[in-house]
Amino acid sequence: MKREDTVRNGHFLADRRWFFPIVIAGLIAGAIVTSSFIKAADYSLLCSVANTRSPQGVGKGSATPIQLQAIIHYATSRITPQQNFREISVTFDVLKKRSPCNFLVFGLGYDSMMWTSLNPNGNTIFLEEDPKWVQTVLRDAPVLRAHPVKYRTQLKEADALLSHYRSEPSCFPSKAYLRGNDKCKLALTGFPDEFYDTEWDLIMIDAPRGYFPEAPGRMAAIFSAAVMARNRKGSGVTHVFLHDVDRRVEKVFAEEFLCRKYLVKSVGRLWHFEIPSAANLSSHGGAQFC
């Protein structure tokens, strides 16, 4: 998803394309072929890609154009994304049940084509801090829906932002909102209207960069995901996936806003939360999320 580890290891190619292992492409291709002859609910992880529900008439055993494009893309790629197979499987298990759905992804990276293809006929958008990178990716994959965004925070401010949230009423869970909330420094403001107007079923936080002091860090993304989940009006929970929980800031902010009690799975460096709407909680007042 993100590019920071790849940059540090010196494997970031000049054309900055996003990639996935050829073995995954083979699994997807095999799943589509197999499902044309064998109708079963769930033979393997990626076999069910071909069996995704579709409100637009894409039947069982039929691959959508984006899925076919993803097969070709990853079969001809040589660099893998940051999440490993087990971590990706956590999100895919949810997508199998919820797709087509509204899927918000913080970060535009090597696995963006994969996430879009795993939510066929759904609404998958990507938020990326580097506008030049957005242009590069969309030039090669115009089917992806990505928005360049700006963050108001820096990683070195993480501790100060926690103190600010605890003393600023507009950050309190009972009053928190995002669009136009300039008083709360953790609220993501100035984003595209679609970000605010859509009720997200899944939120993946694998960006922005958070490995050097001047980087935006993921503090605001984590806080805002919690606010959106708590403000959910539709049925069910909001699934939030946070990557790089081995880093202090990600872990601290996840425990503060996404809450340990909502953590349902931990695989590698990925945490999966199922956050209920505040309307379904017996008590949701006060100044703390957890």
Side-chain angles (χ1 to χ4, degrees):
M1 175 69 63
K2 60 189 183 308
R3 303 184 300 281
E4 56 235 36
D5 294 331
T6 308
V7 172
R8 290 200 300 271
N9 293 331
H11 300 305
F12 188 54
L13 299 182
D15 60 7
R16 303 175 80 186
R17 293 175 300 172
W18 62 120
F19 301 88
F20 195 66
I22 190 169
V23 63
I24 298 301
L27 285 172
I28 298 177
I32 293 172
V33 173
T34 301
S35 62
S36 298
F37 301 95
I38 303 174
K39 293 186 178 181
D42 188 14
Y43 275 84
S44 65
L45 173 68
L46 293 174
C47 181
S48 59
V49 170
N51 294 331
T52 304
R53 293 175 290 110
S54 169
Q56 299 178 8
V58 178
K60 272 193 172 185
S62 299
T64 63
I66 183 62
Q67 290 172 330
L68 296 175
Q69 185 176 349
I71 292 173
I72 296 173
H73 170 75
Y74 292 116
T76 57
S77 301
R78 292 174 293 175
I79 294 183
T80 64
Q82 297 307 115
Q83 292 189 35
N84 60 39
F85 185 85
R86 292 178 62 242
E87 293 168 338
I88 290 170
S89 298
V90 174
T91 306
F92 181 68
D93 285 343
V94 177
L95 283 170
K96 284 192 294 184
K97 300 174 182 177
R98 297 295 294 269
S99 179
C101 62
N102 294 323
F103 187 12
L104 175 67
V105 184
F106 285 88
L108 184 65
Y110 306 129
D111 49 9
S112 296
M113 181 72 77
M114 177 192 67
W115 292 131
T116 298
S117 69
L118 294 181
N119 186 30
N121 305 299
N123 177 30
T124 304
I125 73 165
F126 303 88
L127 304 177
E128 169 59 42
E129 63 183 290
D130 185 349
K132 293 183 179 179
W133 175 237
V134 172
Q135 294 176 3
T136 298
V137 172
L138 295 186
R139 183 170 57 248
D140 296 329
V143 68
L144 297 179
R145 302 182 60 235
H147 299 286
V149 295
K150 293 182 179 180
Y151 293 88
R152 299 189 291 164
T153 57
Q154 290 187 324
L155 184 65
K156 62 185 179 182
E157 303 171 327
D159 293 335
L161 288 169
L162 271 182
S163 299
H164 162 75
Y165 135 73
R166 290 167 179 157
S167 61
E168 174 52 58
S170 64
C171 294
F172 292 175
S174 59
K175 300 180 179 180
Y177 61 98
L178 300 181
R179 181 160 31 198
N181 190 355
D182 295 325
K183 291 184 178 180
C184 181
K185 297 178 181 178
L186 282 169
L188 291 175
T189 62
F191 274 37
D193 289 339
E194 184 177 19
F195 172 74
Y196 305 104
D197 296 338
T198 304
E199 190 160 86
W200 301 104
D201 302 302
L202 280 73
I203 302 175
M204 171 71 72
I205 305 174
D206 207 357
R209 292 172 296 172
Y211 63 94
F212 61 95
E214 291 73 27
R218 299 179 186 170
M219 302 83 67
I222 295 171
F223 171 85
S224 297
V227 171
M228 289 189 288
R230 290 175 61 89
N231 291 341
R232 182 181 182 87
K233 299 297 188 295
S235 61
V237 300
T238 301
H239 296 269
V240 179
F241 307 89
L242 176 63
H243 200 223
D244 294 317
V245 294
D246 56 318
R247 302 195 300 209
R248 185 186 75 87
V249 169
E250 277 80 354
K251 184 176 182 180
V252 168
F253 274 73
E255 293 178 336
E256 183 70 36
F257 299 110
L258 302 178
C259 309
R260 278 275 185 178
K261 61 184 176 182
Y262 300 137
L263 178 64
V264 296
K265 186 168 289 188
S266 174
V267 175
R269 295 183 294 153
L270 184 82
W271 279 357
H272 171 205
F273 298 84
E274 293 182 359
I275 304 178
S277 166
N280 297 325
L281 300 177
S282 57
S283 176
H284 57 273
Q288 294 186 337
F289 281 73
C290 304

